[in-house]
Amino acid sequence: MEKLITGVHHVTALTSDAQKNIDFYAGILGMRLVKKTVNFDAKEVYHFYYGDEEGHPGSILTFFPYQGLVRGRHGKGMLNTTTFSLPTTSLEYWTDRLQKFGVNYKEPQERFGSEVVVYFEDFDGLGLELVFTDKDERQGFVHGPIPPQHAIKGFYNVEIGEEGYERTAGLLTQQLDHALITERGNRFRFAATDTPGNYVDIVCIPDRLRGLSGSGTVHHLAFATPTREAQDQARQRLVERQLNPTPVLDRNYFTSIYFREPGGVLFEIATSGPGFRVDEPQDLLGQALKLPSQFEKDRVSIEKALPPITLEISNYL
Ligand code: ZN
């Protein structure tokens, strides 16, 4: 049977400052802002989507900027770290780049024998890593401020902190079409498709405090499903496991369902299509404020309520 879940779709996090967020992700990290819209559930708040050239599933990091939002806390029941994928030849370029822009990072560490990872945080404390590996054949955003050979290719893995791993692992393997790929120590790596961008690491951290939502924390992790029909079938599986998923919601660029996994992380299942070109052409992605049709009548007041933002790419070459 074909898989209902094919991998990771996107990660959505909370930030305290829209402009700093643009500067960090589109500037320092050189990702493409593929969509500038508003939170469909709170239209006075932006929703930024960053990704590769097109915003393929497995490359999309999105943010709700709540200006001045108090900081959250990493911990159990949270997606604590999102890892971006780079080739092994890019390690020096990236440590130099982080230094150049005043981003503190930890010394490179080895993981699973073949991966070198560098941990750092954004200005809100959001946990990020760069992984240097030659396993990833995707191309990142090659028209940004970063030389194409060093551009971020997308996610490599995400890391969820849990008390214990079994209950979340059970959900991943039984309802979400994942398999255990590898494990070492307290880290268990799962994937629906065994390729970079799709790895979900569960790390057991029973001694840590529970995470608290706030700026610098992840709001939810979205998995990709190929079609609306597959999404309905996946939803039915969740209903049978009594996970109480939401109805299917239209997010314009995909449709979504949400539910909470047993360890406390909010999960989403999002369709791979139609994608970000549904309301603007490829070469103009992310430039104009795009609103869903139900908000267009309020465009003037919405634009007035949102803080102005700019991006000077030349500052980030
Ligand atoms: Zn989402």
Side-chain angles (χ1 to χ4, degrees), residues 4-70:
L4 300 182
I5 305 297
T6 51
V8 169
H9 190 287
H10 65 268
V11 171
T12 293
L14 303 173
T15 176
S16 63
D17 192 301
Q19 181 63 57
K20 283 190 193 169
N21 185 261
I22 295 272
D23 288 337
F24 195 90
Y25 290 92
I28 298 172
L29 297 189
M31 299 174 77
R32 184 172 194 186
L33 179 65
V34 292
K35 194 64 63 184
K36 185 165 62 178
T37 182
V38 294
N39 183 338
F40 289 12
D41 301 318
K43 61 181 186 272
E44 68 287 356
V45 176
Y46 276 121
H47 193 180
F48 299 147
Y49 291 78
Y50 303 93
D52 63 7
E53 200 82 33
E54 281 182 41
H56 286 108
S59 78
I60 312 159
L61 180 59
T62 98
F63 287 90
F64 297 132
Y66 289 89
Q67 297 303 112
L69 179 67
V70 70

Side-chain angles (χ1 to χ4, degrees), residues 9-12 47 49 62 64 219-222 251 254 256-258 268-270:
H9 190 287
H10 65 268
V11 171
T12 293
H47 193 180
Y49 291 78
T62 98
F64 297 132
H219 186 264
H220 63 264
L221 166 64
R251 297 319 195 184
F254 42 84
S256 296
I257 58 172
Y258 302 84
E268 173 183 348
I269 296 175

Side-chain angles (χ1 to χ4, degrees), residues 69-80:
L69 179 67
V70 70
R71 267 210 188 191
R73 179 176 75 200
H74 298 176
K76 287 185 290 198
M78 272 218 165
L79 194 165
N80 292 313

Side-chain angles (χ1 to χ4, degrees), residues 47-289:
H47 193 180
F48 299 147
Y49 291 78
Y50 303 93
D52 63 7
E53 200 82 33
E54 281 182 41
H56 286 108
S59 78
I60 312 159
L61 180 59
T62 98
F63 287 90
F64 297 132
Y66 289 89
Q67 297 303 112
L69 179 67
V70 70
R71 267 210 188 191
R73 179 176 75 200
H74 298 176
K76 287 185 290 198
M78 272 218 165
L79 194 165
N80 292 313
T81 308
T82 302
T83 304
F84 298 110
S85 181
L86 289 159
T88 51
T89 46
S90 294
L91 176 60
E92 197 181 330
Y93 172 87
W94 272 95
T95 51
D96 286 352
R97 187 171 176 86
L98 293 177
Q99 229 159 34
K100 177 176 164 185
F101 291 104
V103 180
N104 292 323
Y105 60 88
K106 290 189 183 169
E107 284 307 305
Q109 306 270 324
E110 195 199 280
R111 180 174 296 154
F112 291 130
S114 60
E115 299 163 9
V116 173
V117 296
V118 172
Y119 180 88
F120 63 108
E121 294 179 349
D122 77 359
F123 59 93
D124 283 311
L126 189 72
L128 303 169
E129 281 175 337
L130 304 175
V131 62
F132 299 90
T133 165
D134 286 326
K135 280 205 301 194
D136 194 342
E137 294 178 353
R138 295 172 298 170
Q139 195 179 40
F141 176 38
V142 296
H143 299 104
I146 312 261
Q149 70 272 27
H150 299 309
I152 285 174
K153 293 170 179 285
F155 299 142
Y156 188 79
N157 67 280
V158 294
E159 179 187 309
I160 295 175
E162 301 280 18
E163 177 101 29
Y165 77 99
E166 279 93 346
R167 287 193 303 163
T168 306
L171 170 68
L172 287 172
T173 55
Q174 290 157 35
Q175 272 73 34
L176 301 178
D177 291 331
H178 281 56
L180 180 67
I181 303 294
T182 186
E183 60 173 281
R184 188 167 300 183
N186 65 342
R187 182 180 294 266
F188 300 80
R189 174 163 289 175
F190 297 85
T193 306
D194 184 1
T195 53
N198 296 314
Y199 299 122
V200 177
D201 292 3
I202 301 180
V203 175
C204 297
I205 47 171
D207 298 337
R208 292 269 299 274
L209 295 173
R210 282 197 72 78
L212 286 177
S213 184
S215 73
T217 65
V218 165
H219 186 264
H220 63 264
L221 166 64
F223 294 93
T225 188
T227 61
R228 273 285 293 113
E229 293 68 38
Q231 187 171 47
D232 282 339
Q233 289 176 45
R235 188 178 183 284
Q236 193 49 40
R237 285 186 188 169
L238 299 171
V239 169
E240 283 158 17
R241 202 184 164 105
Q242 299 188 317
L243 283 165
N244 206 26
T246 65
V248 176
L249 301 170
D250 184 2
R251 297 319 195 184
N252 231 4
Y253 314 107
F254 42 84
T255 59
S256 296
I257 58 172
Y258 302 84
F259 59 101
R260 207 165 285 282
E261 60 89 17
V265 182
L266 185 62
F267 278 1
E268 173 183 348
I269 296 175
T271 50
S272 295
F276 299 104
R277 291 181 293 189
V278 75
D279 60 359
E280 58 189 340
Q282 170 72 21
D283 54 338
L284 297 179
L285 288 181
Q287 293 190 15
L289 179 72

